[in-house]
Amino acid sequence: MWFTSDNAGPAHPSVLDAVTRASTGYMSSYGSDPIMADVRARMREIFEAPEAEIFLVATGTAANVLALACLCPPWATVYCHEVAHIEEDECGAPEFYTGGAKLSLLPGLDGKIDAAALAAKIESTPTDFVHHVGRGALSLTQVTERGAVYSLDELRALCAIAKSGGIPVHLDGARFANALVSLGCSPAEMTLKAGVDAVSFGGTKNGLMGVEAVVLFDPSKAWEFERRRKRGAHLFSKHRYLSAQMQAYLADDLWLTMARDANARARRLADGLRDLPEADFLHPVDANMLFVALPRRIHDALHAAGAHYYFWPGDPAPEGPADEMLACRLVCGWSTTEAEIDAFVGVVRDAA
């Protein structure tokens, strides 16, 4: 019963097989391998963007911060949600890789940026005052850090606000596939057609060993990204092993299949807990994450049974009343089984 995160699960066997196949003979290095050429063509097709430039890196943090560095100068600010990954979980990497850009934090329910707050913040950022940071970029997280998914209308509205202020838009898609299958739309509809300029296209949380793609819809940013990736020590020499993972991910829509499986497991888990009067759901279950509060005695029973998950936002005091409500985050991945979910729900029901 392992629900800590979707990056705790295994890589899909097809991905491992692809890496093994790629490890035969010789191939050009640094991204000029033929596998990468196929990945580039496939992703341009998926995003309906024949001019887009595609790059691979090994981590989501690298994808986010290298993309943002190409969109936001050092003297400007990145507008993001107050619980965005770039704010809470990247150790100042956005500021470091942009050369000092500021993060301007915005409120909003369920990890979604409030449109009115964004408009007000942009309006209050002057464009002609040397003593203040300039307008840089907007970064949206899809799926949000609280498990919610922006609707297409919400994405379009936020992008329109940004564009009216002359601001490019970055999408942190660490769980891009989970959001996509939740909305039932195309990748282009959730990005380019909504007004997004750069995408961090996640793979590690959805069955890959460790690779993320950066999609730049403006090809004029490509050479800068190349330079920043190399200077930032994120250009792989034996790049074919990144390419092979991404090629397998996209083949036969494996990426969508794994995301659908993860989301379905999360719905099953939510359904199993939802009718319990002691379970308090804190955020919507739009994709593959649940945020739910349970009494301490139920948590004690789950941990005694071997369940793994995180309290949220942090560990509580080790002792407390049995009926004290403690919040936790539960994440399902492509490899989460129905048996794991049923066992977890069974322990909760017995303890309740």
Side-chain angles (χ1 to χ4, degrees):
M1 296 183 289
W2 202 288
F3 300 97
T4 57
S5 181
D6 36 9
N7 63 13
H12 193 278
S14 296
V15 174
L16 298 176
D17 290 344
V19 172
T20 300
R21 289 194 303 272
S23 192
T24 302
Y26 297 87
M27 288 188 196
S28 298
S29 52
Y30 299 112
S32 57
D33 54 276
I35 306 175
M36 183 60 200
D38 180 68
V39 168
R40 188 178 297 111
R42 178 69 179 124
M43 292 196 74
R44 286 172 172 168
E45 178 185 352
I46 286 172
F47 282 94
E48 302 173 38
E51 301 300 318
E53 292 291 349
I54 317 296
F55 303 94
L56 301 185
V57 292
T59 71
T61 295
N64 284 339
V65 301
L66 289 170
L68 285 170
C70 293
L71 300 180
C72 182
W75 53 84
T77 190
V78 175
Y79 304 92
C80 65
H81 196 277
E82 58 194 0
V83 299
H85 202 272
I86 59 173
E87 159 63 12
E88 293 197 336
D89 296 286
E90 293 184 351
C91 195
E95 296 90 334
F96 180 78
Y97 275 81
T98 57
K102 179 180 179 178
L103 298 185
S104 292
L105 308 183
L106 297 165
L109 294 176
D110 305 317
K112 295 181 179 182
I113 291 175
D114 179 79
L118 173 63
K121 190 67 174 177
I122 293 174
E123 181 64 26
S124 69
T125 308
T127 58
D128 57 355
F129 186 57
V130 74
H131 300 288
H132 199 287
V133 293
R135 299 174 181 179
L138 169 64
S139 183
L140 304 172
T141 308
Q142 179 81 316
V143 178
T144 76
E145 293 297 313
R146 294 298 180 262
V149 172
Y150 285 102
S151 70
L152 292 182
D153 286 342
E154 288 171 328
L155 287 174
R156 294 186 194 111
L158 290 168
C159 289
I161 292 169
K163 295 304 173 65
S164 69
I167 296 168
V169 180
H170 162 257
L171 185 76
D172 177 354
R175 296 183 173 92
F176 186 97
N178 301 94
L180 192 73
V181 299
S182 176
L183 291 178
C185 65
S186 73
E189 289 173 323
M190 200 170 78
T191 57
L192 180 61
K193 293 179 180 180
V196 173
D197 297 280
V199 181
S200 298
F201 179 80
T204 305
K205 287 183 168 68
N206 192 34
L208 297 186
M209 293 171 62
V211 63
E212 319 282 314
V214 174
V215 183
L216 298 177
F217 295 117
D218 180 0
S220 71
K221 298 290 185 182
W223 182 238
E224 180 181 354
F225 190 95
E226 289 268 26
R227 287 291 202 180
R228 289 185 178 277
R229 181 174 60 164
K230 177 62 178 179
R231 186 171 182 264
H234 286 289
L235 176 58
F236 268 51
S237 173
K238 290 190 175 181
H239 190 281
R240 59 171 138 168
Y241 298 110
L242 298 184
S243 306
Q245 293 180 63
M246 189 59 70
Q247 184 184 54
Y249 191 55
L250 302 175
D252 300 319
D253 288 338
L254 177 63
W255 62 296
L256 299 176
T257 298
M258 290 191 289
R260 289 190 186 98
D261 289 345
N263 288 9
R265 299 295 180 267
R267 287 194 301 272
R268 184 183 183 94
L269 181 56
D271 290 344
L273 299 176
R274 204 180 296 279
D275 62 347
L276 294 173
E278 294 176 294
D280 181 14
F281 282 78
L282 308 178
H283 301 286
V285 184
D286 288 345
N288 66 321
M289 290 193 288
L290 293 72
F291 291 83
V292 59
L294 298 165
R296 180 184 287 269
R297 57 186 170 78
I298 292 182
H299 288 293
D300 290 343
L302 285 166
H303 289 132
H308 297 265
Y309 55 89
Y310 293 131
F311 287 106
W312 206 264
D315 289 339
E319 306 256 340
D323 289 329
E324 178 185 8
M325 296 296 284
L326 302 175
C328 67
R329 187 190 77 167
L330 306 168
V331 187
C332 296
W334 74 271
S335 60
T336 305
T337 66
E338 293 183 353
E340 284 180 273
I341 291 167
D342 293 345
F344 187 97
V345 173
V347 172
V348 172
R349 289 183 179 277
D350 289 345

